[in-house]
Amino acid sequence: MARAGRVAQLPDLALARAPFARGGRLAAGWPRRLPVGHKGPRRMKIDSLDHLVLAVEDIDVSASFYSEMLGMDAITLDGGRKALSFGVRKINLHRCGRELEPKAHRPTPGSADLCFLTSVPLADVLAHLAKCGVAAIEGPVLRMGATGPILSVYFRDPDMNLIEVSNPVHA
């Protein structure tokens, strides 16, 4: 049993796999050690995703693509910023090199891999892609989504982000 005040060193394996690790060291601001027998408040638990940010080369081109291809609503936020609204979520669009602070460490167009659920049959999705001149990369293929199996089609947006549009598979 550990005595109060002693500090446990995180194992090297945990450091190497930590998403905030760089070169075997934790990024600035993250604790290297946790007190042995730490009985602080219950750990944080995330309930949902509110929004995400895409770094893009051309905001107008991206807004048009997501609006026309995926039926999202292009909206203007305070200060003229652009976003895409769908369901109860949104995607904020930031022009690469002109991001708001704070921002991702390396905001890069083409680095996202996003999966969207739709009730539109994938045959109709594929027909829409073809009509708009967007090449499907793969699909329909069976994948495992966050809540169960999904049938997916893959293609790329104007910044070369990988876009996956899926139908839930109901047993």
Side-chain angles (χ1 to χ4, degrees), residues 115-117 141-152 154 164 166-169:
C115 178
F116 299 104
L117 297 175
V141 292
L142 189 61
R143 297 288 190 244
M144 183 55 68
T147 61
I150 54 177
L151 199 57
S152 299
Y154 294 85
E164 179 180 359
S166 306
N167 291 153
V169 175

Side-chain angles (χ1 to χ4, degrees), residues 2-171:
R3 288 183 287 196
R6 291 193 54 202
V7 176
Q9 182 72 35
L10 294 174
D12 290 341
L13 183 59
L15 287 175
R17 291 186 178 164
F20 43 83
R22 298 201 57 202
R25 305 185 83 186
L26 294 176
W30 288 94
R32 293 183 180 275
R33 301 174 192 188
L34 298 174
V36 172
H38 176 68
K39 297 192 189 297
R42 186 177 155 167
R43 71 176 185 211
M44 181 180 1
K45 181 178 179 294
I46 301 300
D47 297 320
S48 184
L49 176 71
D50 179 75
H51 72 278
L52 60 91
V53 177
L54 276 183
V56 300
E57 291 293 337
D58 187 313
I59 289 176
D60 292 332
V61 168
S62 294
S64 292
F65 177 86
Y66 283 89
S67 181
E68 294 169 19
M69 290 304 302
L70 300 175
M72 294 182 184
D73 295 321
I75 59 174
T76 302
L77 306 172
D78 292 343
R81 297 179 303 126
K82 298 281 185 176
L84 302 160
S85 176
F86 61 102
V88 295
R89 311 284 183 258
K90 73 178 172 117
I91 299 172
N92 292 342
L93 300 175
H94 291 186
R95 185 159 188 275
C96 187
R98 295 186 185 161
E99 299 86 3
L100 298 176
E101 295 291 341
K103 63 181 182 236
H105 182 64
R106 290 190 182 108
T108 307
S111 64
D113 182 340
L114 305 171
C115 178
F116 299 104
L117 297 175
T118 184
S119 58
V120 175
L122 290 187
D124 295 347
V125 170
L126 286 167
H128 180 63
L129 291 173
K131 180 181 174 186
C132 295
V134 174
I137 296 170
E138 187 175 358
V141 292
L142 189 61
R143 297 288 190 244
M144 183 55 68
T147 61
I150 54 177
L151 199 57
S152 299
V153 170
Y154 294 85
F155 54 96
R156 297 207 181 269
D157 76 0
D159 289 296
M160 301 305 289
N161 292 302
L162 183 64
I163 305 301
E164 179 180 359
V165 173
S166 306
N167 291 153
V169 175
H170 302 288

